[in-house]
Amino acid sequence: MFIIDSPSHDAYFNIASEEYLLTKYPKEPIFLLYMNDPSIIIGKFQNTLAEINLDYVNDNKIKVVRRMSGGGAVYHDLGNLNFSFHTLLGNLDFMDFSTFTQPIVTVLNKLNIPAKLEGRNDLLVDGKKFSGNAKLAKNGKMVQHGTILIDSQMQILSDALKVNPLKFVDKAVKSNRARVTNLIGYLPQGFTTVKFKELLIAEMQRENPDAEIIHFSATDIQNIENLVKEKYETWDWNFGFSPNYNFKKAIKIPAGFIELHLDVHKGSIEHAKIFGDFFASESIHELEQLLIGKKHQLEEIRALLEAIDLTSYFGKVDVAEILELFK
């Protein structure tokens, strides 16, 4: 087994590294650990916009990254330790989550913390979740990865993942907002995420005496960064990959009441309908047609709105007011 402690706190880099390792080590078992700066990690089959508070995420410069596996959206920061096991697909039952969560439970139990696996893929203490896990199969290997909440900023977690469910109608996988907790209140005073990582690595070495700690080479880092640029930091992967959805929002501004309905396919607007009690000198149908083919992305919508005379459609309005409709 190879044990790798990522040198980066960049979520794009660390999520990309999981895919890169599947290619570089097609047969070897791997245990990867990483910590991310504030970021939201979206499940592969989720509608990104329906999982995040976009205004809050943008205002706080929180990265949004889609991972390879299914499951729900999670918040990462430096109070959260992330782990990723890679093994040959045929060696274990795909639905067995206990094998790779047991080392975490063992470390915590040694610290007299009553952690245990409950349900299919969650680790709990006193009935509250501190770790969620997801799986994927790719290139003949199985990856199980998960989070461990040590001392994460719970208020930011709540605010970043708070979204209006009435905006979206789709069939995407929705996150289950379980009751979660940090482990910091159960751990010895002065305990840190880094200290827990060290204990977990030591436990893995104890269970796997032949395990070897390795580091990303300069070539590895360059290859991972290339994958970041090609895929993991792109709008097409993180937002455009979302399943089809219907979006609706209404606002009340001095010019009147405006309601927007969008049908979105692969991140792009296929149909738009605008209602309201505003006064327009031009047909609102013209604006609806201009929206078709545009990405449901604020930068692209803003560019369109700035290039046209909005007052001819809505009366006395500005770009910022109309842009609110698309958030």
Side-chain angles (χ1 to χ4, degrees):
M1 171 180 282
F2 293 147
I3 298 175
I4 304 173
D5 183 4
S6 173
S8 176
H9 291 158
D10 181 80
Y12 295 140
F13 180 95
N14 286 323
I15 301 302
S17 71
E18 293 191 312
E19 180 172 346
Y20 171 75
L21 290 170
L22 288 176
T23 302
K24 179 168 183 179
Y25 298 109
K27 295 183 179 180
E28 297 86 345
I30 296 169
F31 180 50
L32 170 69
L33 289 160
Y34 57 89
M35 295 158 57
N36 286 329
D37 288 324
S39 50
I40 295 175
I41 313 302
I42 299 291
K44 183 176 182 180
F45 308 110
Q46 292 192 294
N47 174 1
T48 304
L49 290 174
E51 293 294 329
I52 66 174
N53 180 343
L54 186 61
D55 287 341
Y56 185 89
V57 167
N58 288 338
D59 290 345
N60 291 276
K61 296 179 172 56
I62 297 173
K63 290 182 177 177
V64 177
V65 193
R66 187 183 299 277
R67 61 179 184 265
M68 292 186 294
S69 65
V74 292
Y75 172 73
H76 288 181
D77 60 21
L78 296 180
N80 182 16
L81 179 62
N82 306 287
F83 61 92
S84 180
F85 285 94
H86 298 213
T87 188
L88 289 175
L89 181 58
N91 288 358
L92 293 166
D93 176 10
F94 186 79
M95 296 311 295
D96 171 25
F97 283 86
S98 61
T99 298
F100 296 126
T101 54
Q102 188 55 48
I104 298 159
V105 172
T106 299
V107 169
L108 290 170
N109 290 168
K110 287 180 178 179
L111 294 168
N112 297 316
I113 298 172
K116 58 183 177 179
L117 176 68
E118 288 195 11
R120 183 181 63 177
N121 59 341
D122 294 337
L123 294 178
L124 276 66
V125 59
D126 291 340
K128 292 172 286 187
K129 176 179 173 178
F130 67 86
S131 173
N133 291 259
K135 281 196 178 186
L136 68 102
K138 187 178 178 68
N139 297 347
K141 294 191 82 174
M142 178 177 70
V143 176
Q144 177 175 324
H145 48 195
T147 63
I148 307 172
L149 291 169
I150 305 294
D151 193 15
S152 187
Q153 298 296 312
M154 287 297 185
Q155 186 57 53
I156 297 178
L157 181 157
S158 175
D159 292 340
L161 296 176
K162 187 184 298 178
V163 68
N164 181 357
L166 299 178
K167 286 185 184 178
F168 297 92
V169 178
D170 60 21
K171 296 182 180 179
V173 179
K174 299 295 187 296
S175 295
N176 178 19
R177 306 293 184 221
R179 188 182 179 199
V180 297
T181 190
N182 278 313
L183 290 173
I184 194 67
Y186 297 86
L187 292 164
Q189 189 171 4
F191 215 88
T192 64
T193 307
V194 171
K195 177 61 177 177
F196 189 87
K197 178 174 65 175
E198 292 169 351
L199 290 180
L200 187 53
I201 289 174
E203 178 64 23
M204 291 302 299
Q205 290 177 305
R206 187 189 68 79
E207 293 185 1
N208 303 273
D210 296 330
E212 177 185 355
I213 295 179
I214 64 172
H215 305 279
F216 287 132
S217 67
T219 300
D220 291 331
I221 290 173
Q222 185 59 59
N223 288 336
I224 294 169
E225 289 178 346
N226 289 342
L227 187 56
V228 167
K229 290 182 175 64
E230 294 166 3
K231 180 176 181 179
Y232 283 95
E233 69 177 7
T234 68
W235 183 92
D236 284 343
W237 172 249
N238 293 319
F239 289 86
F241 189 83
S242 295
N244 300 348
Y245 59 88
N246 303 115
F247 172 89
K248 65 179 180 179
K249 187 175 180 181
I251 59 173
K252 182 72 172 68
I253 57 177
F257 174 80
I258 310 173
E259 182 175 337
L260 172 72
H261 291 246
L262 300 176
D263 294 336
V264 183
H265 177 68
K266 294 184 178 179
S268 295
I269 299 169
E270 281 198 333
H271 184 261
K273 193 66 180 173
I274 300 171
F275 306 92
D277 59 3
F278 48 87
F279 295 99
S281 60
E282 298 291 340
S283 171
I284 198 65
H285 179 68
E286 293 179 2
L287 177 55
E288 294 168 347
Q289 290 300 113
L290 290 173
L291 288 168
I292 294 174
K294 299 296 183 184
K295 293 178 180 177
H296 189 190
Q297 177 190 31
L298 293 185
E299 289 78 6
E300 186 156 326
I301 299 298
R302 181 186 286 109
L304 169 64
L305 298 180
E306 290 176 345
I308 62 177
D309 178 14
L310 286 175
T311 61
S312 65
Y313 299 112
F314 299 106
K316 191 175 180 179
V317 298
D318 58 37
V319 170
E321 288 175 323
I322 302 303
L323 196 62
E324 282 295 321
L325 274 171
F326 296 86
K327 295 180 179 181

